[in-house]
Amino acid sequence: MLAVVICLFSTFVTASAASEEDGAATKLNVLGLFQVAGEKTEGTSDTALDRPTTRAEMIIMLVRMIAEVAANTAEVVAIEDHSVPMAELAPVQPVAPVQTPGASQFEREVFILINLERTNHGLEALEWDSRIAGVARAHSVDMSQRGYFNHINLEGLRPGERKLAADIKFRYSAENIARGFRTPEDVVAAWMASPSHRDAILSKMPSLMGIGVHNNHWTANFVGF
């Protein structure tokens, strides 16, 4: 905006000097300073004035233009001043690291994805339990090495009985298993697409979880007290 004022001031000075050299006041298209050529302003014309423009009139016009620029600048500053000060912005809360001691990368990812499903459905995230994860991992290893796929192992032990054998006491116990899937995302998506497996993931009963993955065999154990 300041550059526009300087440019206008130079135009006035140049025009004024030229009029003095010619010995007469220069005619200026005063309206052209305030509107684009070819446009019409109500009650006005875009043609030159019928009478000469004096230096005094040019100075008055320059003063009005400076005042208009100052008014526009003040309005912009006022808008900017309504922005929220940095001190009033809520601080960004750091995300607590996920604690999965002893977990492999795939086990950790399954744990995170299951908790994401729970929180997306308004449920609390479950905590990682290394002992429960150990039971889940042992079952995945056992299924892979002995060539079966079942919640009941070859000794006839059910998921709850395998947990009790590891000295894990509980009031609620559930287990999801899968095999042949390549990624944690695929496993959790398949479980969520199965009503019984989905119910285990979204149950309100458990508070702890452990994941065991071995050779594309996946086990998720849930425990509540």
Side-chain angles (χ1 to χ4, degrees), residues 100-116:
T100 54
S104 69
Q105 182 63 31
F106 273 5
E107 292 168 351
R108 175 185 172 87
E109 289 180 16
V110 171
F111 174 76
I112 292 172
L113 289 171
I114 287 178
N115 271 336
L116 183 61

Side-chain angles (χ1 to χ4, degrees), residues 135 159-168 170 173-174 221-223:
V135 173
E161 293 171 326
R162 287 187 271 109
K163 294 184 181 76
L164 290 174
D167 199 28
I168 299 173
F170 56 86
S173 172
N221 276 332
F222 307 90
V223 169

